[in-house]
Amino acid sequence: MTTQTPAAARTGHVRARLSPRRRRLVVRVVQYVVLLAAFVAVALLIKWDSVAENIFNIDAARALLPKIPRAFGNTLLYMVCSFALSIVLGTLLALMRVSEVRLYRIVSTIYVEFFRGIPALLYVIAVGLALPLVVNFSLTSTLLKVTIALGMVSSAYVAETMRAGLQAVPRGQIEAARSLGMSTARTTMTVVVPQAFRIVLPPLTNEVILLTKDTALISSLGLMIPEFELTKIGQNALSSGAGGGLTPMFVVGACYLVITIPLGIFARRLEAKGARSRS
Amino acid sequence: MTAQATAPVVDIRGLHKSFGQREVLKGVDLTIAPGEVVCVIGPSGSGKSTLLRCVNQLETASAGSVEVLGTEITDPDVDIDAVRSRVGMVFQGFNLFAHLTVLENCTVAQRKVLRRPKEEAERIALENLERVGLGDRGDAHPHQLSGGQQQRVAIARALAMDPQLMLFDEPTSALDPELVGDVLAVMRALAEGGMTMMVVTHEMAFARDVADRVVFIDGGVIVEEGAPADVIGNPQHPRTQLFLQRVLDPTHAHGTTTD
């Protein structure tokens, strides 16, 4: 081997091996075979009659069906209200983060690090159960508690995203606005924030998707029946002993996808549109 | 207005500007009379853009005083926004608001700063867009326009505020050569209409034809100033001569360093 000249090695190489095109073909066929084998292996590991009984149980799904519209609506309501708070608070925190005032920067940084660092579930429980005991006003509305809990957690992530957007607005845009006589605050509201929003719209959509799923955390609070959201009705159906195994969980899981998949498509569209308008 | 007719529009005295340790302007005195067109020329890094940006305080002076339209803008308590609303500025990079249409670019400051009603703002915006030859592009977005068109919109945007002074910071330097002419034609018409203008430029032909006065700045000081025929046509100072030789005859710029 080591005594071969480079030229001999090269000609030997060509003679011994397939052409690159044929080699790619062989590799592709092997990949397909492996993939197929994996499918077959999974199929053999599953007890199919049990799947029909425990996961795709039509009767169990049908029993759950009447509860779904309200739960679906509640999930959407919690998501929309939380996101409304999240976007307002997140934008404010982002503006504080890029402010010239040191105190604002410190407050914003501490907030973001705190809420990014603790599990959302802990904070949901804290707001749901502990907060009403320590505030001197009556905090009984579930919607308000949910909005506070999920909105505040989400705003930490939105703040980080918005900060990137604010910093991506070109300096010349600000100078142009100032040169026309706009004050700093006016410039921020009229020029900087709207442009930052356009920049961060795709990642912000991802934040909505995360928030949609996080509404499942509310099921850990004591909810009243009209307040039930998707995960809660799934859990209840699961523990009711009505049979059908895990079917309710699959049904509510599909409901989440009904919300999140269109959002994902929407985000990709925005991203493509943004790429076009920038070019 | 009549009281100001004889007072200078811009009165710069002993202006110094430093960025950290680096002193960019080292004592500049310059006055601009109403209706005067002053072109500032000089090598890159000479401080000419910084000088221009000190006139509407996009850069704050380190020392010295700048008086614009009768207001001392180097006073820390000055209402700079009020002064800026009467001083138009055109940038090298156009800086049109990317999220607004052409028409909105020309109305937003009228409405938010001057508090003009929507209809009036749009009428004035359209008048100025007509003036720069783009009356039919009001609905376009900036990225749909060529650089030359964008720069003309930027001029219309500034003019819509009814400025008493226009500042131009190398307005044609970012343009493709064939688009420079449209922008310069708009500026020439503006000058002929009596606008007071301060123009930082590399366009020697424009300076020679349109300027009332040319200021050559190098190393943070005014080296030479006077009528275009004198400063460009018959420069006295060796640094002016060298600079003009390099600009007007770039392929023969070597071998004549006179320092």
Side-chain angles (χ1 to χ4, degrees):
Chain A
M1 284 287 269
T2 47
T3 53
Q4 264 183 333
T5 65
R10 219 178 294 136
T11 49
H13 193 86
V14 169
R15 209 165 357 102
R17 298 283 185 89
L18 295 166
S19 77
R21 188 184 65 86
R22 285 179 164 273
R23 209 157 64 226
R24 274 201 300 274
L25 199 68
V26 170
V27 170
R28 180 69 55 85
V29 168
V30 170
Q31 284 171 351
Y32 283 168
V33 168
V34 170
L35 193 62
L36 190 67
F39 271 117
V40 170
V42 170
L44 288 176
L45 287 171
I46 287 173
K47 293 189 283 183
W48 287 102
D49 49 343
S50 182
V51 167
E53 170 62 29
N54 291 311
I55 293 181
F56 293 112
N57 188 315
I58 302 295
D59 293 332
R62 198 169 287 155
L64 189 61
L65 208 55
K67 293 180 178 161
I68 283 182
R70 165 164 273 165
F72 190 87
N74 281 340
T75 292
L76 268 182
L77 179 69
Y78 296 148
M79 181 267 271
V80 168
C81 289
S82 304
F83 193 65
L85 177 66
S86 163
I87 198 95
V88 172
L89 203 55
T91 305
L92 188 68
L93 286 163
L95 286 170
M96 287 169 71
R97 192 73 187 266
V98 299
S99 161
E100 287 171 2
V101 184
R102 183 133 177 260
L103 180 66
Y104 293 165
R105 289 202 304 272
I106 292 172
V107 169
S108 170
T109 307
I110 290 173
Y111 181 100
V112 169
E113 292 304 333
F114 180 79
F115 282 101
R116 276 200 315 192
I118 57 163
L121 180 60
L122 288 191
Y123 193 64
V124 169
I125 293 172
V127 170
L129 305 178
L131 193 63
L133 304 177
V134 298
V135 294
N136 55 17
F137 59 91
S138 161
L139 183 59
T140 50
S141 156
T142 299
L143 181 60
L144 187 60
K145 284 191 278 191
V146 167
T147 303
I148 290 172
L150 294 180
M152 284 180 75
V153 171
S154 172
S155 69
Y157 296 90
V158 169
E160 280 297 278
T161 308
M162 278 302 293
R163 177 175 65 93
L166 291 173
Q167 289 172 334
V169 175
R171 173 109 203 106
Q173 297 282 318
I174 297 163
E175 288 188 348
R178 296 307 308 274
S179 80
L180 288 162
M182 293 189 202
S183 64
T184 318
R186 173 65 71 195
T187 301
T188 302
M189 296 318 293
T190 312
V191 174
V192 180
V193 169
Q195 293 203 26
F197 259 109
R198 286 157 58 98
I199 294 167
V200 301
L201 213 46
L204 220 45
T205 316
N206 289 330
E207 196 52 48
V208 182
I209 292 174
L210 290 175
L211 191 54
T212 308
K213 296 186 297 179
D214 277 353
T215 57
L217 299 173
I218 308 163
S219 61
S220 61
L221 298 179
L223 301 175
M224 289 190 286
I225 291 170
E227 299 163 350
F228 284 180
E229 44 70 61
L230 288 168
T231 301
K232 186 71 180 174
I233 61 164
Q235 281 177 344
N236 282 0
L238 212 59
S239 54
S240 68
L246 279 167
T247 303
M249 279 318 204
F250 277 75
V251 173
V252 299
C255 291
Y256 282 106
L257 291 178
V258 168
I259 302 173
T260 55
I261 288 177
L263 282 172
I265 294 170
F266 178 64
R268 274 197 295 278
R269 288 247 176 94
L270 285 177
E271 230 160 322
K273 199 175 154 208
R276 266 205 309 279
S277 74
R278 272 194 295 278
S279 62
Chain B
M1 289 288 273
T2 44
Q4 279 182 6
T6 49
V9 174
V10 178
D11 191 356
I12 300 169
R13 283 185 202 158
L15 177 63
H16 289 255
K17 173 66 186 175
S18 302
F19 294 104
Q21 292 294 309
R22 201 163 54 88
E23 193 172 34
V24 177
L25 295 177
K26 302 169 183 170
V28 174
D29 297 277
L30 180 69
T31 57
I32 300 177
E36 202 178 12
V37 176
V38 174
C39 281
V40 182
I41 61 172
S44 62
S46 60
K48 55 192 191 306
S49 281
T50 305
L51 173 63
L52 187 83
R53 289 161 62 85
C54 282
V55 175
N56 70 350
Q57 229 194 51
L58 284 181
E59 305 292 354
T60 44
S62 305
S65 75
V66 179
E67 205 178 298
V68 176
L69 298 164
T71 307
E72 177 83 43
I73 64 163
T74 33
D75 177 353
D77 290 322
V78 71
D79 181 359
I80 190 65
D81 295 332
V83 177
R84 283 174 177 159
S85 70
R86 297 191 290 156
V87 177
M89 175 131 182
V90 175
F91 299 85
Q92 181 177 354
F94 327 135
N95 297 352
L96 294 181
F97 302 130
H99 64 303
L100 301 177
T101 65
V102 165
L103 188 66
E104 286 164 348
N105 262 279
C106 299
T107 56
V108 63
Q110 290 190 68
R111 299 201 55 205
K112 309 263 181 191
V113 177
L114 302 180
R115 304 265 162 217
R116 284 178 183 157
K118 188 163 187 273
E119 294 73 25
E120 188 191 353
E122 287 185 352
R123 180 178 55 75
I124 292 169
L126 276 172
E127 278 171 17
N128 284 292
L129 284 171
E130 298 281 357
R131 200 163 157 188
V132 300
L134 292 167
D136 56 338
R137 301 308 303 272
D139 294 330
H141 276 272
H143 67 89
Q144 296 169 316
L145 303 180
S146 72
Q149 289 172 327
Q150 289 191 46
Q151 193 60 298
R152 285 185 282 150
V153 171
I155 294 172
R157 173 175 72 178
L159 291 177
M161 300 292 283
D162 296 327
Q164 288 155 275
L165 166 68
M166 284 287 287
L167 307 174
F168 292 85
D169 189 5
E170 301 194 29
T172 57
S173 296
L175 297 176
D176 289 334
E178 79 273 19
L179 303 175
V180 169
D182 289 339
V183 172
L184 291 181
V186 167
M187 289 169 62
R188 174 193 277 269
L190 201 57
E192 283 163 1
M195 177 65 74
T196 312
M197 292 163 63
M198 182 171 173
V199 185
V200 171
T201 187
H202 289 294
E203 298 290 336
M204 291 305 143
F206 179 82
R208 191 163 43 207
D209 295 351
V210 180
D212 298 308
R213 190 148 49 100
V214 172
V215 175
F216 173 70
I217 187 166
D218 191 13
V221 292
I222 292 178
V223 174
E224 191 166 347
E225 67 174 300
D230 296 332
V231 177
I232 297 176
N234 184 22
Q236 298 303 309
H237 199 285
R239 275 149 82 184
T240 321
Q241 291 167 354
L242 178 64
F243 170 74
L244 286 168
Q245 193 178 21
R246 283 184 168 160
V247 171
L248 298 174
D249 192 10
T251 53
H252 293 96
H254 299 291
T256 48
T257 316
T258 49
D259 225 346

